[in-house]
Amino acid sequence: MTKESFHVVFIHLDLGIGGAESLVLNLAKATLPPEAEGGRDAKESPEPSGRISIYTTHCSPTHCYDEVRPPRGRLSPHVHVRGSWIPRRLRLGGTALCSALRMLYLTHCAARDHPDASVFVLDVLPTGVPYLVEWWNVSAGVLFYCHFPDKLLTRDTVNGEQGPSAALDAATVSGSTSLFRLFLIILTQLKRF
């Protein structure tokens, strides 16, 4: 595989402003050829010159890094927003469930659109890893990076947005959340028999 032929697909739930987003965008920028500077032609550069695609369920032009802000962001043409119709949470909670479903849908869209990608990079939730490996049987490399524990996704705020769970009875939500979290842990640990 030549440097010109590799294709890296990044899958990230929400391209807001934070450490995980910064990591994804820095990796994406490192994959692209450098911009021509001071009369130097980017084609002569020994730097990487692969293709990238970034899949996300949300990228607000008012709350994102300049690199992905349309229309002038360098990475903006590579961002594909899919699954924005999937809710972030249900009425009585379910943030982890909705996040897992959003990640699974993003992974499906990315694998369907780019079955010949060289590498899939998934961030935050591992939900899509078994899907890529077992269902799609991709020959590409699959890299999962967890920037922070997924249990933080069930807090009252997600990416700075206040959720309605603060008004709910904590004991009721806590019990159902614990059972569902156990289900997700078991699901992510299962291997194909």
Side-chain angles (χ1 to χ4, degrees):
M1 172 181 340
T2 65
K3 280 202 282 189
E4 291 78 23
S5 66
F6 71 86
H7 182 193
V8 181
V9 178
F10 297 93
I11 304 172
H12 186 77
L13 281 180
D14 188 336
L15 281 178
I17 297 177
E21 292 82 1
S22 180
L23 172 73
V24 168
L25 299 181
N26 285 336
L27 290 172
K29 288 187 296 187
T31 305
L32 290 176
E35 296 176 299
E37 296 177 24
R40 184 176 171 189
D41 188 2
K43 291 181 181 177
E44 297 173 9
S45 175
E47 299 294 320
S49 58
R51 294 182 307 130
I52 64 163
S53 299
I54 303 171
Y55 280 77
T56 185
T57 59
H58 181 75
C59 183
S60 170
T62 61
H63 186 73
C64 67
Y65 285 105
D66 290 338
E67 290 93 340
V68 293
R69 183 171 289 127
R72 294 198 173 114
R74 180 174 182 215
L75 300 176
S76 174
H78 306 284
V79 175
H80 307 278
V81 178
R82 303 285 189 271
S84 59
W85 51 271
I86 302 172
R88 290 181 184 213
R89 63 179 306 113
L90 303 173
R91 176 177 276 184
L92 295 176
T95 304
L97 171 64
C98 290
S99 294
L101 291 174
R102 290 166 56 218
M103 186 57 126
L104 193 58
Y105 184 74
L106 278 177
T107 305
H108 170 77
C109 291
R112 179 195 63 210
D113 295 349
H114 305 289
D116 296 328
S118 307
V119 178
F120 288 90
V121 179
L122 292 85
D123 186 25
V124 180
L125 290 176
T127 314
V129 174
Y131 183 72
L132 282 172
V133 174
E134 300 295 334
W135 181 263
W136 278 94
N137 199 19
V138 296
S139 60
V142 177
L143 173 69
F144 168 70
Y145 175 76
C146 184
H147 183 69
F148 59 87
D150 72 336
K151 69 180 180 179
L152 296 179
L153 293 175
T154 61
R155 298 273 170 104
D156 289 339
T157 61
V158 176
N159 290 329
E161 294 182 20
Q162 185 67 29
S165 65
L168 296 174
D169 179 25
T172 305
V173 174
S174 170
S176 61
T177 299
S178 297
L179 287 174
F180 180 72
R181 180 150 312 281
L182 178 63
F183 170 73
L184 281 181
I185 290 169
I186 292 169
L187 184 64
T188 57
Q189 298 299 320
L190 284 179
K191 299 219 182 223
R192 193 172 187 185
F193 295 102

